[in-house]
Structure formats: structure tokens, C-alpha cells
Amino acid sequence: MSRGHRPEVAIEEAKHHAAALGFLVISLDTSWIPVDFFAIRSGCLTIIRVRRIKYGYYHVPDIESSCEREIAELREFPITGDIARELWVKGCDKHFHRYRVMKDQLEAIEKGSEKISYGQQTLVEG
């Protein structure tokens, strides 16, 4: 489990942001798993971890370094099938920056041009 307290305010804001993006949000009331909430859109499930950072560096190498533990915990979370893993980072710019966590890669999800592939299905965020 990551050090320190979970960013409860940022998690609640992330849930509202996810709902605004068209996700159905499923809250979790437990701190023993490395997932803050589940989000479902068009039949696709995503597990989401939220992290706050105090600086404005959001490039993938910076996030891999500063959120190393959270990324590792998401990768180790035992799930099967076409379930996506995402890290949502809220920084000093007060925006959420989303990253898709894959087995051996971290990929930024660009705002307004999101393309998510789950098996045979692709979602596009407008």
C-alpha cells in the first residue's frame, strides 16, 4: 500500500469528473486495495487510482518516477479479462491527468482525443 493518507478530496473530485465524462462510477469504501473506484462506460470496466502531486510535471517519465509505487500496485492488482487500469493525477494546475497503466508501459490519455481500446471495442471521448 502507498505511503501516507489517500487523497480523499481528490478522489471525490475524480469521481465527479468521471461521471461528467460519461462513466458510471462505483465507489469503494475500503483502503486495503490499491484502487480508489471503478468506472464503467459502454460496458467496459476501468479500475482507477488517484494521486495528488505538488508539481507541474505530467510527462510520462515524470509520472513513472513520482508515482512508481501506485503504478506497481495497479499492475499487481489481480484482475482478468479486458479490464483497464488508469492512474489519475491531480496536480497544482487543478486538472486531472489520466494515464493508462499497462503491463510494461504507461501511456498518457490526451484530453479531448481519448481513444481507449478494450479487446475489440474502441471508445472515443469527445
Side-chain angles (χ1 to χ4, degrees), residues 26-110:
I26 302 170
S27 297
L28 296 173
D29 293 325
T30 182
S31 61
W32 61 271
I33 61 173
V35 175
D36 293 316
F37 63 95
F38 297 114
I40 301 172
R41 182 169 60 184
S42 299
C44 299
L45 176 66
T46 302
I47 61 172
I48 298 173
R49 180 68 183 267
V50 178
R51 169 81 194 274
R52 280 204 43 100
I53 57 175
K54 297 179 181 178
Y55 56 85
Y57 304 110
Y58 307 108
H59 296 290
V60 169
D62 301 314
I63 297 302
E64 285 176 325
S65 175
S66 65
C67 302
E68 182 178 8
R69 184 176 293 181
E70 290 81 1
I71 293 167
E73 289 172 348
L74 276 171
R75 285 181 175 146
E76 293 168 2
F77 189 69
I79 56 173
T80 59
D82 290 335
I83 299 174
R85 296 172 167 97
E86 289 186 15
L87 175 68
W88 289 24
V89 175
K90 184 173 184 186
C92 58
D93 66 351
K94 306 210 187 268
H95 292 98
F96 283 100
H97 301 267
R98 296 172 53 200
Y99 302 88
R100 187 172 303 109
V101 178
M102 295 169 278
K103 183 177 180 178
D104 56 356
Q105 180 180 342
L106 184 70
E107 179 180 278
I109 300 172
E110 299 297 326

